[in-house]
Amino acid sequence: GQNIDQPTEMTATEGAIVQINCTYQTSGFNGLFWYQQHAGEAPTFLSYNVLDGLEEKGRFSSFLSRSKGYSYLLLKELQMKDSASYLCAVKDSNYQLIWGAGTKLIIKP
Amino acid sequence: NAGVTQTPKFRVLKTGQSMTLLCAQDMNHEYMYWYRQDPGMGLRLIHYSVGEGTTAKGEVPDGYNVSRLKKQNFLLGLESAAPSQTSVYFCASTEGGAHTGELFFGEGSRLTVL
């Protein structure tokens, strides 16, 4: 079966750095997405990786290793507004998105 | 810029009742999707459409029907609601499902079936 694993919950301090990991086992691979979802709101797109390596976008970076079935989302200079759930999703060989359950990130002052 | 709009935002149904959720997008996207989101689980695809007049089953289609009569609208119907269908429903759209495919989501519809 297809599977996406992420930690259920993480806690970090305002101003610090946090890394959210995602491992996947899917039938084929056509890209990996990270979405942010604040409580009670819709998911919003953060990043897309299809090749190995690091993609940087402001305070957020996303890394992919296809050989290891592994990605991480790195958030720097954490702000209180970064408190949210972070969803990892992989596009499989049929171009269907397989979603992880999400990681709830709690930021403390 | 409306983006993706879902109606209604909240609804309470009794077991056996029927209802329709409406999704409308103003971005001229070809692909549209209906997901459900339950605690502790990833988003699960119910049905999707790759263009006007087309629909296809997703991961959890049982108990739901859909229609895409107009490109901008994607309707999700529950013919006979069950408590197991209590969930938050999200509609999403994208330009092309096979490519980068950034999804644009509606605000969600919270459905409770008693």
Side-chain angles (χ1 to χ4, degrees):
Chain A
Q2 308 203 90
N3 195 49
I4 310 284
D5 285 320
Q6 331 177 211
T8 302
E9 187 174 295
M10 298 181 70
T11 302
T13 304
E14 189 177 16
I17 298 173
V18 70
Q19 177 175 311
I20 302 173
N21 295 326
C22 171
T23 57
Y24 63 89
Q25 291 177 311
T26 57
S27 302
F29 178 85
N30 281 299
L32 184 144
F33 296 80
W34 285 97
Y35 283 78
Q36 181 188 59
Q37 185 178 24
H38 287 100
E41 298 183 7
T44 55
F45 172 79
L46 286 178
S47 68
Y48 170 70
N49 294 70
V50 67
L51 299 176
D52 291 350
L54 188 68
E55 294 280 344
E56 297 185 80
K57 191 184 294 185
R59 295 189 299 112
F60 292 10
S61 303
S62 56
F63 171 83
L64 174 67
S65 169
R66 289 172 295 170
S67 63
K68 295 182 179 179
Y70 168 71
S71 172
Y72 67 73
L73 181 69
L74 191 71
L75 291 73
K76 302 176 184 177
E77 301 170 10
L78 286 170
Q79 302 175 9
M80 297 304 292
K81 67 179 181 179
D82 297 329
S83 292
S85 289
Y86 292 86
L87 314 181
C88 175
V90 172
K91 194 162 272 191
D92 68 10
S93 57
N94 294 319
Y95 295 95
Q96 296 294 338
L97 273 176
I98 311 300
W99 294 83
T103 299
K104 183 179 181 180
L105 178 63
I106 300 168
I107 309 297
K108 295 185 176 180
Chain B
N1 293 333
V4 180
T5 303
Q6 293 180 227
T7 53
K9 300 288 191 295
F10 301 91
R11 185 74 187 270
V12 178
L13 288 176
K14 294 181 179 178
T15 297
Q17 287 185 317
S18 63
M19 74 159 297
T20 301
L21 296 176
L22 170 63
C23 176
Q25 53 96 2
D26 61 2
M27 296 173 283
N28 202 37
H29 286 168
E30 288 291 338
Y31 289 66
M32 296 187 73
Y33 305 82
W34 275 108
Y35 285 97
R36 60 178 289 172
Q37 187 174 42
D38 301 293
M41 302 181 73
L43 288 162
R44 292 185 291 169
L45 183 64
I46 305 170
H47 286 279
Y48 65 100
S49 169
V50 300
E52 181 179 313
T54 75
T55 63
K57 294 180 179 180
E59 178 187 359
V60 289
D62 293 343
Y64 305 94
N65 56 75
V66 289
S67 64
R68 184 103 180 265
L69 299 179
K70 293 183 178 180
K71 185 177 184 178
Q72 64 267 35
N73 295 338
F74 194 29
L75 278 64
L76 178 71
L78 285 72
E79 291 184 345
S80 180
S84 61
Q85 294 178 303
T86 293
S87 188
V88 180
Y89 292 85
F90 285 101
C91 175
S93 71
T94 187
E95 279 187 331
H99 303 293
T100 305
E102 173 190 344
L103 288 175
F104 295 83
F105 285 86
E107 294 181 339
S109 298
R110 185 174 297 274
L111 175 65
T112 301
V113 183
L114 302 176

